[in-house]
């Protein structure tokens, strides 16, 4: 036989679980939003001069690109 006090604890526990799951869902969605790359097809990389990415995300190796890097020709 459950008492009124047991019912209150169960109700509180259920509310806590609901809020915890909602918070976890919010944190996961924010983390996913921050990790998702924001693509702008109009940007041009200053390292390889190609479109669709920026210099810090460039996959071109400085040594072999023969392009200007920070105002100097890559060696």
């Amino acid at each position: 036989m459950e008492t009124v006090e047991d019912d209150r604890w169960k109700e509180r526990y259920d509310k806590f679980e609901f809020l915890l799951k909602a918070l976890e869902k919010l944190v996961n969605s924010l983390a996913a939003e921050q990790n998702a790359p924001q693509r702008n097809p109009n940007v041009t990389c200053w390292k390889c001069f190609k479109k669709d990415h920026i210099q810090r995300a460039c996959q071109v190796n400085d040594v072999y690109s023969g392009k200007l890097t920070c105002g100097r020709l890559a060696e």
Side-chain angles (χ1 to χ4, degrees), residues 35-51:
N35 290 335
Q38 297 178 354
R39 299 283 179 172
N40 182 352
N42 297 321
V43 299
T44 302
C45 175
W46 290 6
K47 186 188 273 187
C48 68
F49 302 103
K50 293 182 181 177
K51 290 196 172 281

Side-chain angles (χ1 to χ4, degrees), residues 42-73:
N42 297 321
V43 299
T44 302
C45 175
W46 290 6
K47 186 188 273 187
C48 68
F49 302 103
K50 293 182 181 177
K51 290 196 172 281
D52 195 34
H53 66 277
I54 57 176
Q55 182 177 352
R56 71 171 176 246
C58 188
Q59 299 293 320
V60 174
N61 188 346
D62 287 335
V63 175
Y64 302 108
S65 69
K67 303 291 182 186
L68 290 177
T69 303
C70 298
R72 300 184 320 216
L73 187 61

Side-chain angles (χ1 to χ4, degrees), residues 16-38:
F16 178 76
E17 284 293 312
F18 173 78
L19 291 173
L20 187 61
K21 287 180 183 178
L23 181 61
E24 185 177 1
K25 186 176 180 180
L26 178 62
V27 167
N28 289 339
S29 69
L30 288 174
E33 185 178 300
Q34 288 177 347
N35 290 335
Q38 297 178 354

